Amino acid sequence: MLTAGPKGTNDIMPGEIEKWHYIEETVRDICREYGYREIRTPVFEHTELFQRGVGDTTDVVEKEMYTFRDKGKRSISLRPEGTASVVRAFVEHKTYAQPQPTKVWYMGPMFRYANVQAGRYRQFHQFGVEALGSKDPAVDAEVITMAMDFYGRLGLRDLELHINSVGCSLCRPGHREKLFEYLKPNAKQLCNLCQSRLERNPMRILDCKEENCREISEGAPMTADCLCDDCAGHFEKVKKYLDEVGVSYVINTRLVRGLDYYTNTAFEIMASDIGAQSSIGGGGRYDGLIEEIGGPPTPGIGYALGIERIIAAMERQGLEWPAGRKIYIFIAALGDEAREAAFKLVRDFRREGLTAEMDLMGRSLKAQMKFANRLDSAYTLILGEEELGKGIITVRDMAAGEQQELPLTGIVDYLKNKNT
Ligand code: AMP
């Protein structure tokens, strides 16, 4: 117990974290270019926020939430996703009173009590964006384009962008009724989950992965067949904007996504080569959500992607990771006095912004040189009692394999000038 983390959690160790930093930097770059600003919300919220904001009938809320009572007897849940918190903050801080749209991004851990398998964890990390305050189809297209640009910048290939429109509060009830009538005669053949969905949320039956349910819903009325004029026009415009920037997509009429608050555009990005958990991100419009949680009627759209799955997809595709930062200077020192001088010297280097290390294990000179090699240091400095007495230090350029003796004073400037 004590020597293993809880099931479904991962340690991101040095060696691995550099990949995360690279992805995080790419996130920051893309978001800056697209005019999105970072928002950080708490990792726990009142349970009710997710019940209302994500939806009571969703698997995420029904089965996968980490919910507990705090010492004040409030029901608290660890966030299973990021949108509800962003919307809560938007309402709480009255951001809607400022010029719109509000464009924000977030990144951080999410928690779901899911069945653990490759690509499915209980603590995982999402990067997401939300654009609140505009109904313009250009915003839908911007969010989708940004997601695709992000994957592209990481070098990911062979991705499929699936898009659909799930309609709005005007056209959805008509679709729901038609779908219910269509599925009712075969209700008993549906899987247990879909039987319970039939009354509550029949649209979700369309994206059930069970073979039998798929067959039953094969000729069913799809949301795209029942759109009102506004929704149909909106969807056409989104597609036009995507065409304009050359973002290719597949229309997937079964794509309804698992969360209740989605309206109009829904989209999901698949990587064909990461196995069963092929979704590496998705999102959609949620024009009803802000009002649902107590704000003024405000449209919104967003998406979220799983960072673990991005890394898995990048590894599968054999993409290069940028080289990690090397130790620039290693000081091998021998003898008490030389070690004390080295201790001061590493600090002098660090104060000048250089990465410097010295031996902290009491190794022999030979072992220190070997260790410097392992660290892949650019320069190894050798300081013994003799050098110290003469006021010099031996500087070894590791790449060139050459060494020279230089005055101890001025060594900081010398290596600082080399580090260009
Ligand atoms: P969702 O919020 O369910 O739409 O998920 C958005 C993205 O988060 C998915 O496309 C995955 O990349 C990722 N994701 C969702 N659930 C998990 C999980 N349990 N473990 C790892 N990644 C996940």
Side-chain angles (χ1 to χ4, degrees):
M1 275 282 271
L2 284 181
T3 52
K7 191 173 169 187
T9 65
N10 294 300
D11 299 310
I12 308 165
M13 302 295 283
E16 189 67 16
I17 198 75
E18 289 75 11
K19 299 175 186 171
W20 288 71
H21 289 164
Y22 171 58
I23 288 173
E24 287 160 12
E25 270 164 38
T26 311
V27 162
R28 290 197 174 91
D29 286 347
I30 287 268
C31 290
R32 182 177 39 77
E33 290 157 19
Y34 273 82
Y36 285 71
R37 295 166 73 193
E38 187 179 4
I39 180 168
R40 295 189 191 180
T41 60
V43 294
F44 62 86
E45 298 271 1
H46 296 296
T47 302
E48 200 192 343
L49 176 70
F50 301 118
Q51 287 168 339
R52 291 284 281 275
V54 179
D56 283 334
T57 64
T58 57
D59 292 352
V60 168
V61 170
E62 235 174 13
K63 301 186 208 143
E64 298 181 348
M65 264 208 313
Y66 278 91
T67 298
F68 58 95
R69 295 240 163 232
D70 70 6
K71 287 193 184 359
K73 308 250 183 313
R74 301 169 198 92
S75 181
I76 295 291
S77 294
L78 300 184
R79 62 179 182 194
E81 55 97 65
T83 306
S85 302
V86 170
V87 167
R88 197 256 317 129
F90 176 83
V91 175
E92 183 170 339
H93 299 277
K94 300 192 173 52
T95 313
Y96 49 78
Q98 294 169 15
Q100 298 301 312
T102 297
K103 305 205 298 186
V104 292
W105 66 270
Y106 60 84
M107 189 158 41
M110 305 293 160
F111 307 88
R112 294 184 194 174
Y113 193 79
N115 282 329
V116 177
Q117 48 182 290
R120 184 166 287 276
Y121 309 106
R122 292 186 175 164
Q123 174 172 336
F124 60 99
H125 298 77
Q126 283 187 340
F127 151 54
V129 307
E130 314 292 346
L132 309 174
S134 170
K135 236 179 145 43
D136 194 321
V139 182
D140 306 38
E142 177 181 282
V143 167
I144 295 173
T145 306
M146 181 181 183
M148 299 314 284
D149 279 353
F150 172 69
Y151 299 122
R153 193 160 306 181
L154 293 175
L156 284 164
R157 305 173 304 266
D158 304 328
L159 302 182
E160 247 181 40
L161 165 65
H162 290 207
I163 60 171
N164 191 24
S165 174
V166 296
C168 67
S169 55
L170 287 180
C171 48
R172 269 252 280 279
H175 171 254
R176 189 187 167 117
E177 203 167 304
K178 280 191 196 155
L179 185 60
F180 180 78
E181 290 306 323
Y182 182 92
L183 294 170
K184 207 170 67 178
N186 291 316
K188 294 234 156 53
Q189 273 97 287
L190 292 167
C191 72
N192 285 343
L193 190 57
C194 283
Q195 287 192 22
S196 71
R197 284 168 171 163
L198 188 59
E199 297 276 349
R200 293 192 300 170
N201 190 2
M203 198 169 73
R204 292 274 342 258
I205 298 173
L206 296 177
D207 79 346
C208 180
K209 303 286 178 285
E210 295 280 332
E211 196 57 41
N212 202 34
C213 296
R214 286 187 96 79
E215 267 171 36
I216 292 169
S217 61
E218 189 56 49
M222 297 293 170
T223 53
D225 307 325
C226 304
L227 299 180
C228 62
D229 289 349
D230 273 0
C231 288
H234 184 98
F235 196 38
E236 280 313 306
K237 286 231 175 71
V238 173
K239 288 189 277 184
K240 270 228 172 77
Y241 281 118
L242 292 176
D243 294 339
E244 189 64 35
V245 288
V247 169
S248 45
Y249 50 83
V250 178
I251 309 267
N252 178 351
T253 54
R254 283 185 180 273
L255 176 64
V256 296
R257 313 243 325 133
L259 311 176
D260 283 351
Y261 51 70
Y262 285 93
T263 56
N264 292 103
T265 315
F267 62 98
E268 193 145 358
I269 298 102
M270 314 285 186
S272 49
D273 48 4
I274 60 164
Q277 303 305 323
S278 61
S279 162
I280 55 165
R285 186 164 270 290
Y286 46 78
D287 290 348
L289 176 63
I290 294 151
E291 200 175 358
E292 175 69 30
I293 72 154
T298 311
I301 178 163
Y303 83 99
L305 57 85
I307 299 185
E308 285 84 355
R309 286 198 206 162
I310 294 281
I311 293 177
M314 289 177 70
E315 308 234 289
R316 288 246 186 171
Q317 297 193 359
L319 299 180
E320 293 270 321
W321 296 97
R325 189 158 178 191
K326 287 183 187 171
I327 289 296
Y328 180 60
I329 300 161
F330 184 83
I331 308 182
L334 209 62
D336 281 348
E337 269 181 58
R339 272 182 65 103
E340 282 156 23
F343 189 77
K344 177 171 181 302
L345 200 50
V346 276
R347 180 156 186 259
D348 291 344
F349 282 127
R350 291 166 180 164
R351 278 156 71 127
E352 289 300 328
L354 303 176
T355 308
E357 284 265 34
M358 66 179 280
D359 172 60
L360 297 172
M361 299 298 293
R363 291 182 169 94
S364 70
L365 188 60
K366 199 172 153 209
Q368 288 188 50
M369 296 305 287
K370 215 170 135 191
F371 187 64
N373 246 328
R374 239 194 85 133
L375 286 180
D376 207 8
S377 70
Y379 292 92
T380 301
L381 314 190
I382 303 156
L383 190 62
E385 305 288 309
E386 203 186 313
E387 280 97 346
L388 196 60
K390 286 199 234 162
I392 55 160
I393 189 161
T394 302
V395 180
R396 187 173 174 82
D397 178 335
M398 302 296 273
E402 290 162 2
Q403 66 182 50
Q404 55 178 326
E405 289 184 343
L406 292 172
L408 204 51
T409 54
I411 191 67
V412 173
D413 283 340
Y414 175 81
L415 287 174
K416 201 177 145 193
N417 289 334
K418 292 246 174 207
N419 190 35
T420 46

